[in-house]
Amino acid sequence: MKRFFVLFLLVFPLASAVPQETALQGFEHWTAAELGRVGQALSVGAASDPHHIAVKQLADFPNEAFLLAHREADGQVEWHETQIDIFFVQSGSATLVVGGTYLNGETVAPHERRNGTIQGGTRQKLSTGDIVRIPARIPHQVLLEGAHEFTYLVVKVKGY
């Protein structure tokens, strides 16, 4: 009995230290299957959008936001003063034009510009599984160039 009591005193603190099954604040998990279902739903939305894009915000945190985007046509030139974009290509292919000189852009929201053109810039082919990081204050544009669709997870890192 004495051994049992000593063993109990040794094991009880370990057992009480095991984490309880509670939701962790800020924890998110999206499965490939979930992203696939959302991507399919976005393809329906993109077909009826004038710019042939549909976006679903998955989460918005103080320092970053997560979005799933589906394109069926070329995107507009974008420029973010205070955010970094990180793309995780889910399906399809596209060409990313990045850098160069941004001409004739329009302010569409605080710290955000759209439209216009990129003079120069680097062209980078993107395919399923690719990851790309676009720094703040760098113009960029997604071009489909003959591809029919392009779906990508975007992580917007805020505060730059």
Side-chain angles (χ1 to χ4, degrees):
M1 179 72 175
K2 190 174 183 180
R3 285 184 183 167
F4 175 76
F5 184 72
V6 171
L7 183 60
F8 176 78
L9 289 177
L10 291 173
V11 173
F12 180 74
L14 294 175
S16 65
V18 173
Q20 301 297 314
E21 290 193 28
T22 59
L24 298 172
Q25 185 174 357
F27 176 80
E28 294 288 343
H29 175 218
W30 299 283
T31 66
E34 275 180 281
L35 294 176
R37 284 191 296 276
V38 173
Q40 289 293 335
L42 290 176
S43 69
V44 173
S48 62
D49 181 78
H51 296 287
H52 298 284
I53 183 171
V55 177
K56 173 153 176 73
Q57 185 169 45
L58 302 172
D60 188 13
F61 297 105
N63 296 320
E64 70 277 338
F66 293 78
L67 307 102
L68 192 65
H70 177 85
R71 292 188 177 280
E72 294 184 354
D74 294 345
Q76 300 171 316
V77 176
E78 299 182 19
W79 181 90
H80 317 294
E81 183 178 18
T82 61
Q83 295 180 351
I84 290 171
D85 278 351
I86 303 171
F87 295 175
F88 296 82
V89 180
Q90 302 295 299
S91 66
S93 63
T95 298
L96 177 67
V97 180
V98 63
T101 303
Y102 186 25
L103 303 172
N104 303 317
E106 303 169 26
T107 300
V108 296
H111 311 289
E112 295 287 323
R113 297 176 74 195
R114 295 278 191 283
N115 301 315
T117 58
I118 296 175
Q119 185 178 42
T122 301
R123 298 172 74 83
Q124 182 65 54
K125 188 74 171 166
L126 301 178
S127 301
T128 302
D130 288 355
I131 301 170
V132 64
R133 178 185 183 272
I134 304 166
R137 297 176 293 283
I138 299 294
H140 54 282
Q141 182 179 24
V142 174
L143 304 174
L144 293 193
E145 297 188 321
H148 298 288
E149 62 90 21
F150 184 64
T151 303
Y152 53 112
L153 177 72
V154 181
V155 178
K156 291 195 163 286
V157 182
K158 303 173 186 178
Y160 278 82

